[in-house]
Every structure is written in structure tokens, then in C-alpha cells.
Amino acid sequence: IDAITIEEVDRIAREDHTVVVSIEKDLNMDALKQTIWESLDLLRVYTKRHGEFPDFSEGLILRKGATVEECCRAIHKTLLDTFKYALVWGKSSKHNPQRAGLSHLLCNDDVIQIVRK
């Protein structure tokens, strides 16, 4: 919006699938990030090791509708060979933690702990 008139900004802002931003004024950057995130249908899942707090600094980025199985594959391809069950905290669990199998659907901001054989 730094190089066009306010009338042009208004017209562009009313179009579908657009977000008006200004890098120079740092305007609407959070809205742009959120729109991209929603358009790509992504979710973030955090991992937890036994006896430790969840690592909220970096989450696994998965597609919406991802299961525990897909999460295991994203961590390491051989993790499924020794998978026993998962403990899940968050919106997708009925209680915290919930013991879950490979077909359990994950939600955004869930925390998962993989228990191996």
C-alpha cells in the first residue's frame, strides 16, 4: 500500500483472497501470516519427551486432518516400527492426556508424546 492511492487500497482490500500489507509501516503482517496459514490448511503439533515439559519453541507442521501416524512419520520414518501408543494433550483429546493409536486425528496446538515398545 506504500505506492498506491487509498482508493486503490480500498478496492484491493475488498477482493477475495487478498490482504493489504505495508512492509514499510509494518501494517497487517500478522493478518497476512494468519491468512497464509489458513489457506494452506496447516496445523502445528508440539512434541513432549517423557518426564519433560513440551517443547513449544518448535512444533511439527502438518496438514489439517493429520493423524498420529503422519506425525510419527514427520519425526522419523522408523518410529512406526517401535510405536506402542501416543499420549495426546489438547483439543483432539477427550481428557488430558489421552492414550491414542495411529489413527487418532490431531488438532492445532496439540501436544504429543510417543511411547515406544
Side-chain angles (χ1 to χ4, degrees), residues 5 17 21 24 33 48 53-54 74 80 94 99 105-106:
T5 66
H17 309 293
V21 298
E24 187 176 294
K33 291 176 195 174
K48 178 188 175 315
F53 290 108
L80 288 173
K94 295 177 184 171
R99 189 174 167 158
L105 288 174
L106 298 169

Side-chain angles (χ1 to χ4, degrees), residues 32-51:
L32 176 63
K33 291 176 195 174
Q34 185 63 32
T35 301
I36 292 170
W37 189 260
E38 290 170 0
S39 295
L40 293 175
D41 278 337
L42 299 175
L43 62 92
R44 180 177 289 125
V45 177
Y46 300 98
T47 57
K48 178 188 175 315
R49 291 181 182 269
H50 179 71

